[in-house]
Amino acid sequence: MNAFQSARPWYRKQLSLAIAGALACAGVPALAQDSPGADAQSSAGTADAATNLDTVVVTANKRVENVREVAASISVVGERQLENIGAVSLSDYAALIPGMQVQNGGAPGLTSVSLRGISAMSSSATVATYIDEVPVGSSGIYQGANTLMLDLLPYDVSRVEVLRGPQGTLYGAGAIGGLLKYVTRSPDMATEEARVGVGVRSVEDGDQGINLRFGATLPLQQDRMALRMSFVRNDIPGYTDNAVDGREDINGGEQLGARTALSWDGDAFDLNMAVLHQRIRSDDRAGVALDADTRQPLSGEDDDLAWQPRPFSKELTLASLSLDWDLGWSNLVSATGWSQTDTLDQIDATVQFGGVADALLGLPEPGSSNVRYTFDLEKFTQELRLSSKSGGTFEWMVGAFYTKEDAVQAQNVWLGQLDGSPLPVPFDSMFGTLALLTLPSTYEETAVFANGSWRFGERFKLDAGVRQARNDQWFSQNVTEGILVPLGESPGESSEDVFTWSLSPQYRFSDSVMVYARAATGYQPGGPNVALPGIPPQVDSSMLDSYEIGLKSQFADRRVTLDLAAFRIDWEDIQVASSFNGIGGLVNGGAATSEGVELSSLFRVGDNLSLGVNAAYTKTEVKNDFEPTVIPQAGFDVVLNTGLAGDRIPYTPKLTWTAFGEYTFSTAGGLNGQVGAMLRGVGSQLNDTTERQRVTASGDPSTILDEQVFAPLELDSYRALDVYAGIGNGRWELRAYVNNVTGEQAYSSMSPVDSEITGARSHLLAVPIQPRTFGVEIDFRF
């Protein structure tokens, strides 16, 4: 193996930043099935919400429907519940949704989301994101969608809908694992309303922050037209320190959000226009440096190792226009969206590339390095759909969808001295920029779809849907400066036709008990690949088939809700990143299965007490050794497998659960309030699949000269307790919460930090779950 290592030129080892980084892109991943818990855990007024659980509506099938009549697994987290627990990011409420996992990369917006074990193992996402009628985020493979999921600050959001299982027929590309949908608040046509609030949030052994919020609705024409405006600013308190330079609470930052919406309710048509802007800025990211062998903190429980700053920022501007035209016999809906997303993500690469300074340039000590990624995405979408009126024996919908993405990813790799100053002359001008490259890309998709629902009597219903889509993509790898990657332009393009379908029969035993089955397919778009030995010119779409049976029930005078779902998913042509010494791209690895059971329950004990349990058991398994990538070398071949048969899918604990309770009360003075708690448990999980690296005789894979196997890292299981309370009279409300009451020390994600020069492992970088956090908020309504 030593001869093999010495045969590798040093600069080839550094392509991890330029090629694998380009593709793997800086990341290599209601309380119940329906929404009963979402409203049942709200506030004063909870009694009504809990008694009338069946009034919750969703738009999963692009119609307004009773959630308990939809033959699919849907979770809804309501506005009041988000407020009660002080939610400011996806990580704060992920435990409320069975089967959903959120990996925090150290700041809001550095987020990976998976559902039912369908984790992103490439550079594109497996969960689609919508804001109302408009998809946001990239469907392509060059915008880091796997680790840069939209993490919307949930203010002025009426609810968050999560659909588990593939949603390819109605929501198309990227919804292979499911859908995350933010439903914003609509203007009230009849009543003026204003709300202003302030809050304080403090992290134990960390910083404090203030949040400010404002929202108002102004009817402009009674029962016809109304305007809504909102603004929110939230400080992100820092809580991790940097052992290298002594800085404390380095991961602080802020979130800003603003929205303006105008609605018109006409006789023939309804019109909704909105502009939303959100900005996330983090000075650095949360992290703890762990010993690679003992998994214990190297410097302190909250200390990281960073020689270079790691700022992160993300700005989203979304303009949307929707028209619902009542044609009498049907409704025509037009949904138009335009969004601009600008992201900056800088990582510390000192361990990886700092050794260039002494090992190659002959300087007396290693240097420091950073990699600065920028992602610019402009996205336009247009959907037209014609649908029948609801409530008939046969309901139908036909539609067409178009999207166009123009995107640019840029990477700048900087090398300096260990103290952060430039390299000495003349090395600064010659080697200060190790690589400078841009990756412009386009993604264009056109699709047609149809959906139908047949009712056979009062008890049986059959839903079916189909979608035919075509995407055309182009990209170019343009290297203009540096010594790590050959200079020049390397373009590529691809085209795909994809067909998806769904079938969902359901049977109602009574108004309160329904069983259903659902079979559906979904896909994750492929795209043009980098031009490298052993890497195919195009990676194909990942496809999956999902099979589900479920029960939705209420009994004991609708005081008990019990929902169950069992599923099996067959996943094929899984997109995975394959790289050797930094040279890499995407390949279609192989197949895997995910199967499990989900439980959602709510028990109304008396008029004031609600108790519930949610749980998910998910078993995932790679069915075969992933397809090998063969990288030819001078005199030998390198054969890579990035997953082996029997592996678990990354970041998929076998068991997750949440137990919750809430007590509501009223006082003689006219005050209403609530006290609640939530205990969440997450089982152990792995950060990756197993990687096997073989050196074989050139052209003879049966002659193995050397073999190394790299096992994934295991993250331990944990439990965390959250509590909250609130009181108010309708005009004002005071709320308080404590999240992670016991101060549980656990990790959301973990990755090794290795030198690309020597291969030596420096340490592990782990992102902790939020430490014990205290919050107090007060709101006034006018």
Side-chain angles (χ1 to χ4, degrees):
M1 188 62 184
N2 291 336
F4 164 64
Q5 286 181 326
S6 63
R8 299 286 296 166
W10 74 270
Y11 60 84
R12 296 294 297 277
K13 296 183 178 183
Q14 312 316 315
L15 290 176
S16 57
L17 109 107
I19 307 299
L23 292 175
C25 183
V28 192
L31 295 177
Q33 171 172 306
D34 308 322
S35 70
D39 285 340
Q41 275 198 317
S42 59
S43 66
T46 298
D48 290 340
T51 302
N52 299 291
L53 296 175
D54 59 340
T55 62
V56 178
V57 297
V58 293
T59 53
N61 290 327
K62 300 199 173 183
R63 293 177 180 269
V64 176
E65 297 178 287
N66 184 336
V67 68
R68 306 207 59 76
E69 297 179 359
V70 179
S73 296
I74 308 171
S75 292
V76 180
V77 182
E79 178 183 21
R80 293 290 303 169
Q81 189 174 15
L82 294 168
E83 292 177 347
N84 283 340
I85 62 177
V88 296
S89 68
L90 278 167
S91 300
D92 294 328
Y93 57 89
L96 301 175
I97 302 164
M100 180 174 176
Q101 293 299 313
V102 174
Q103 274 65 59
N104 185 347
L110 281 170
T111 307
S112 296
V113 179
S114 64
L115 289 165
R116 291 184 168 175
I118 308 303
S119 301
M121 292 192 285
S122 68
S123 52
S124 57
T126 59
V127 176
T129 305
Y130 268 63
I131 297 179
D132 296 322
E133 292 273 3
V134 178
V136 291
S138 177
S139 298
I141 60 178
Y142 289 99
Q143 283 290 298
N146 62 327
T147 57
L148 298 173
M149 284 281 292
L150 176 65
D151 202 344
L152 192 69
L153 182 60
Y155 180 70
D156 219 31
V157 171
S158 64
R159 65 184 184 273
V160 179
E161 297 181 10
V162 177
L163 283 69
R164 294 186 291 280
Q167 307 297 323
T169 54
L170 285 179
Y171 292 97
I176 186 171
L179 176 74
L180 172 66
K181 185 174 185 179
Y182 298 94
V183 181
T184 59
R185 290 193 62 187
S186 299
D188 189 326
M189 298 288 178
T191 307
E192 290 187 7
E193 179 258 343
R195 176 187 179 189
V196 62
V198 62
V200 178
R201 185 180 179 97
S202 176
V203 180
E204 187 174 42
D205 296 327
D207 207 350
Q208 300 81 38
I210 296 176
N211 63 73
L212 304 170
R213 52 197 176 273
F214 166 80
T217 292
L218 179 64
L220 301 178
Q221 184 176 347
Q222 190 71 19
D223 297 327
R224 285 291 188 184
M225 185 166 61
L227 176 70
R228 179 162 184 82
M229 297 174 290
S230 65
F231 172 81
V232 60
R233 179 188 182 278
N234 178 66
D235 285 334
I236 304 172
Y239 55 85
T240 59
D241 306 328
N242 186 8
V244 173
D245 57 16
R247 289 183 296 131
E248 297 183 346
D249 305 330
I250 62 174
N251 61 306
E254 70 173 7
Q255 297 164 285
L256 289 175
R259 177 173 172 262
T260 300
L262 179 68
S263 294
W264 167 265
D265 186 357
D267 294 328
F269 67 89
D270 298 335
L271 181 68
N272 293 280
M273 297 184 293
V275 177
L276 177 148
H277 180 80
Q278 175 161 308
R279 184 181 73 190
I280 302 171
R281 178 193 57 79
S282 182
D283 299 327
D284 213 301
R285 62 195 65 196
V288 177
L290 305 180
D291 184 275
D293 297 321
T294 66
R295 307 287 177 88
Q296 296 300 310
L298 282 173
S299 302
E301 293 180 348
D302 300 318
D303 286 0
D304 201 357
L305 297 174
W307 288 264
Q308 287 287 313
R310 300 168 298 183
F312 173 80
S313 66
K314 184 170 187 174
E315 291 195 36
L316 167 69
T317 301
L318 171 65
S320 60
L321 172 65
S322 65
L323 170 68
D324 188 340
W325 187 8
D326 188 347
L327 301 176
W329 56 278
S330 65
N331 282 74
L332 176 65
V333 174
S334 170
T336 308
W338 173 89
S339 62
Q340 176 71 43
T341 308
D342 299 310
T343 306
L344 181 150
D345 182 20
Q346 181 169 302
I347 65 173
D348 176 23
T350 296
V351 170
Q352 292 86 342
F353 305 121
V356 171
D358 57 336
L360 174 70
L361 306 182
L363 296 176
E365 63 177 359
S368 64
S369 177
N370 66 57
V371 184
R372 189 178 185 88
Y373 298 91
T374 59
F375 304 90
D376 299 321
L377 171 66
E378 182 178 5
K379 185 182 182 85
F380 171 80
T381 63
Q382 175 63 57
E383 180 169 295
L384 291 170
R385 61 180 186 268
L386 188 67
S387 58
S388 64
K389 299 295 184 179
S390 298
T393 301
F394 176 58
E395 297 176 353
W396 54 266
M397 178 186 297
V398 294
F401 174 82
Y402 172 80
T403 185
K404 174 71 179 297
E405 298 179 14
D406 292 296
V408 178
Q409 180 193 157
Q411 300 181 32
N412 187 346
V413 188
W414 177 87
L415 178 67
Q417 300 188 72
L418 197 59
D419 62 2
S421 61
L423 294 173
V425 177
F427 298 106
D428 58 341
S429 60
M430 299 172 62
F431 303 105
T433 299
L434 293 178
L436 180 62
L437 65 156
T438 58
L439 295 154
S441 63
T442 62
Y443 178 96
E444 189 170 14
E445 180 182 354
T446 304
V448 292
F449 60 90
N451 192 72
S453 297
W454 292 264
R455 287 183 172 86
F456 299 89
E458 297 181 355
R459 298 187 180 276
F460 186 72
K461 181 181 177 183
L462 180 66
D463 296 331
V466 293
R467 186 184 187 101
Q468 179 68 49
R470 177 181 177 85
N471 68 74
D472 297 289
Q473 300 184 58
W474 171 90
F475 103 110
S476 183
Q477 180 180 308
N478 304 332
V479 185
T480 56
E481 188 177 350
I483 59 174
L484 301 185
V485 189
L487 302 182
E489 298 183 1
S490 301
E493 58 184 16
S494 69
S495 297
E496 281 188 313
D497 293 292
V498 182
F499 178 76
T500 54
W501 58 269
S502 65
L503 185 66
S504 304
Q506 67 179 66
Y507 184 81
R508 302 195 68 87
F509 291 96
S510 67
D511 290 341
S512 302
V513 179
M514 184 257 282
V515 294
Y516 69 90
R518 184 173 189 265
T521 61
Y523 76 103
Q524 179 186 29
N529 224 335
V530 292
L532 289 172
I535 300 297
Q538 174 179 335
V539 60
D540 295 331
S541 291
S542 294
M543 303 291 296
L544 63 72
D545 299 321
S546 174
Y547 308 94
E548 175 182 346
I549 57 174
L551 165 72
K552 297 186 177 184
S553 65
Q554 293 177 318
F555 49 92
D557 196 24
R558 292 186 177 176
R559 290 180 175 271
V560 178
T561 297
L562 180 64
D563 296 341
L564 289 168
F567 64 88
R568 178 185 171 88
I569 297 172
D570 293 312
W571 192 7
E572 297 181 348
D573 292 330
I574 301 173
Q575 295 175 13
V576 294
S578 179
S579 64
F580 168 70
N581 279 347
I583 305 173
L586 294 182
V587 299
N588 293 106
T593 61
S594 177
E595 52 190 13
V597 179
E598 296 161 349
L599 162 71
S600 301
S601 62
L602 181 67
F603 306 91
R604 180 75 175 164
V605 184
D607 294 331
N608 301 98
L609 179 63
S610 297
L611 301 173
V613 175
N614 295 339
Y617 173 83
T618 308
K619 179 183 177 182
T620 61
E621 183 178 14
V622 173
K623 295 173 63 175
N624 56 280
D625 292 353
F626 281 169
E627 289 295 320
T629 303
V630 181
I631 303 176
Q633 304 295 310
F636 59 88
D637 292 333
V638 177
V639 181
L640 300 176
N641 294 93
T642 55
L644 301 182
D647 280 350
R648 288 166 58 186
I649 298 297
Y651 292 111
T652 305
K654 286 187 177 181
L655 181 64
T656 58
W657 54 269
T658 304
F660 55 88
E662 180 179 274
Y663 180 79
T664 63
F665 61 89
S666 299
T667 70
L671 299 179
N672 300 308
Q674 71 281 339
V675 177
M678 178 174 65
L679 179 65
R680 45 195 166 97
V682 177
S684 63
Q685 48 193 316
L686 303 176
N687 81 318
D688 208 342
T689 50
T690 304
E691 180 176 320
R692 183 175 64 201
Q693 177 179 295
R694 284 176 173 168
V695 180
T696 66
S698 181
D700 181 12
S702 63
T703 303
I704 300 174
L705 305 177
D706 191 79
E707 179 177 290
Q708 286 185 309
V709 177
F710 303 95
L713 303 172
E714 182 174 354
L715 287 74
D716 293 335
S717 61
Y718 67 89
R719 292 188 298 271
L721 174 66
D722 306 327
V723 299
Y724 62 88
I727 193 168
N729 65 0
R731 293 189 175 182
W732 63 267
E733 183 179 12
L734 178 66
R735 299 185 302 275
Y737 59 88
V738 183
N739 294 335
N740 194 1
V741 173
T742 60
E744 179 77 9
Q745 294 178 336
Y747 302 111
S748 174
S749 61
M750 187 181 297
S751 58
V753 181
D754 300 338
S755 169
E756 294 289 348
I757 307 299
T758 66
R761 178 154 296 176
S762 170
H763 60 280
L764 304 179
L765 174 59
V767 177
I769 66 170
Q770 184 85 7
R772 184 183 293 114
T773 301
F774 307 85
V776 177
E777 299 181 345
I778 187 167
D779 283 283
F780 298 93
R781 299 178 186 270
F782 307 95

